[in-house]
């Protein structure tokens, strides 16, 4: 072990079924139990709200699982007030404001009226994304990592779109994929890696990274890939605004 056993580590190997039952699973890890003091309890109404939003997307999930080549042409209407509200509460409370200068708690003071106005602008096509505020973060090698900080309303709408897209693409992703997926963290990937090393013959491990991937990704090709599954022009138009 690289760092030695910590208080929150288990003494047994974790096990978790792949997210595609019936197919060979490349991973067998599960999230480690959180250390004491790290768990934040959600208020009951927040939990119920998220459950209701999730239930409304169940038909999308079912269709995505059953028809792997389905193009979804009616997704924009899922960006309703309920989803926007839950997206707001998904955001980090203390994150830095964007160019709008709006903090999370300031927006919360008149939340319902603000969300009603935001939803109206979305439905009328009058919503426009603001420029991201650029902040450079120092890296360990002495270089700078550019970070784009979006305006608060842009974060809300983006988080809502992510929830809609997750309903489709979670059916497509393979079980050994962990990056930027709901309910999966770095520790899940590390647990799966440890399980694989202990239970199978391993001759080599490749650790690779694509240099400046997000800085250089082609937005044109990204939209083309989205169009394989997304056929709703309003949703695609919204994504292009970012």
């Amino acid at each position: 072990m690289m760092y030695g056993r910590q208080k929150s580590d288990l003494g047994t190997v974790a096990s978790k079924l792949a997210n595609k039952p019936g197919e060979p699973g490349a991973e067998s890890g599960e999230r480690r139990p959180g250390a004491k003091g790290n768990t934040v309890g959600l208020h009951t109404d927040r939990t119920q709200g998220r459950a209701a939003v999730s239930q409304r997307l169940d038909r999308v999930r079912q269709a995505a699982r059953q028809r792997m080549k389905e193009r979804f042409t009616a997704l924009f209407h899922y960006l309703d007030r309920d989803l926007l509200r839950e997206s707001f509460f998904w955001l980090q409370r203390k994150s830095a404001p964007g160019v709008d200068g709006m903090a999370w708690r300031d927006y919360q003071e008149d939340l319902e009226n603000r969300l009603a106005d935001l939803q109206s602008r979305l439905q009328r096509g009058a919503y426009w994304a603001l420029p991201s505020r650029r902040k450079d973060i120092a890296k360990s090698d002495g270089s700078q990592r550019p970070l784009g900080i979006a305006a608060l309303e842009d974060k809300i709408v983006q988080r809502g779109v992510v929830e809609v897209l997750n309903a489709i693409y979670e059916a497509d992703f393979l079980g050994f994929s962990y990056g930027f997926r709901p309910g999966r963290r770095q520790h899940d990937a590390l647990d799966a890696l440890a399980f694989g090393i202990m239970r199978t013959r391993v001759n080599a491990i490749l650790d690779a990274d694509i240099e400046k991937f997000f800085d250089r990704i082609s937005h044109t090709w990204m939209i083309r890939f989205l169009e394989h599954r997304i056929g709703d022009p309003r949703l695609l138009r919204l994504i292009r605004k970012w």
Side-chain angles (χ1 to χ4, degrees):
M1 289 175 32
M2 187 176 296
Y3 299 109
R5 180 165 296 169
Q6 302 297 318
K7 184 177 180 180
S8 61
D9 290 337
L10 286 176
T12 57
V13 176
S15 62
K16 180 175 68 176
L17 295 176
N19 69 333
K20 286 184 175 293
E23 298 182 15
E27 95 287 7
S28 296
E30 65 184 11
R31 188 178 308 159
R32 304 179 186 195
K36 291 181 179 179
N38 288 347
T39 302
V40 179
L42 291 174
H43 196 273
T44 303
D45 58 352
R46 288 273 64 78
T47 305
Q48 292 173 344
R50 293 182 183 184
V53 166
S54 181
Q55 288 174 0
R56 284 197 294 276
L57 289 168
D58 278 346
R59 292 180 60 186
V60 177
R61 294 189 189 92
Q62 282 187 334
R65 285 194 297 266
Q66 295 169 0
R67 300 185 292 277
M68 301 301 292
K69 295 185 178 181
E70 176 90 4
R71 289 186 80 234
F72 293 85
T73 58
L75 294 171
F76 195 84
H77 68 278
Y78 286 106
L79 292 173
D80 57 14
R81 186 98 58 91
D82 290 334
L83 179 55
L84 294 176
R85 184 184 303 105
E86 294 310 313
S87 298
F88 171 77
F89 284 104
W90 260 308
L91 300 180
Q92 294 290 332
R93 272 63 164 166
K94 297 182 180 180
S95 60
V99 296
D100 59 344
M102 178 67 72
W104 189 91
R105 296 198 180 280
D106 295 333
Y107 199 89
Q108 186 188 26
E109 290 179 359
D110 193 22
L111 180 61
E112 291 306 319
N113 287 330
R114 294 181 188 274
L115 291 180
D117 177 65
L118 177 58
Q119 182 191 17
S120 175
R121 281 181 280 131
L122 283 169
Q123 296 300 322
R124 292 184 285 110
Y127 161 83
W128 291 98
L130 294 176
S132 294
R133 182 166 69 87
R134 179 55 60 93
K135 183 177 178 61
D136 292 322
I137 306 297
K139 298 176 65 175
S140 58
D141 60 2
S143 62
Q144 299 283 322
R145 171 183 292 172
L147 179 67
I149 303 175
L152 186 65
E153 284 196 336
D154 294 334
K155 291 179 182 179
I156 293 172
V157 183
Q158 288 170 3
R159 187 64 189 80
V161 171
V162 165
E163 194 68 13
V164 174
L165 295 182
N166 278 344
I168 297 170
Y169 287 103
E170 275 298 301
D172 295 345
F173 290 147
L174 298 176
F176 52 73
S177 172
Y178 286 86
F180 302 96
R181 293 182 61 187
R184 291 175 176 234
R185 301 179 182 179
Q186 296 96 321
H187 282 166
D188 299 326
L190 290 172
D191 286 343
L193 180 62
F195 183 90
I197 293 172
M198 294 173 63
R199 295 294 181 92
T200 60
R201 296 184 78 181
V202 177
N203 295 320
I205 297 175
L206 175 64
D207 180 12
D209 186 29
I210 302 177
E211 184 180 8
K212 296 183 178 179
F213 173 77
F214 290 108
D215 297 338
R216 299 171 178 173
I217 189 171
S218 168
H219 293 171
T220 301
W221 277 104
M222 184 184 69
I223 291 294
R224 288 184 182 179
F225 281 120
L226 284 174
E227 287 174 340
H228 284 292
R229 287 291 247 165
I230 311 299
D232 188 331
R234 299 180 71 191
L235 190 64
L236 292 170
R237 192 180 307 120
L238 182 60
I239 293 172
R240 285 190 181 99
K241 291 182 178 181
W242 297 319

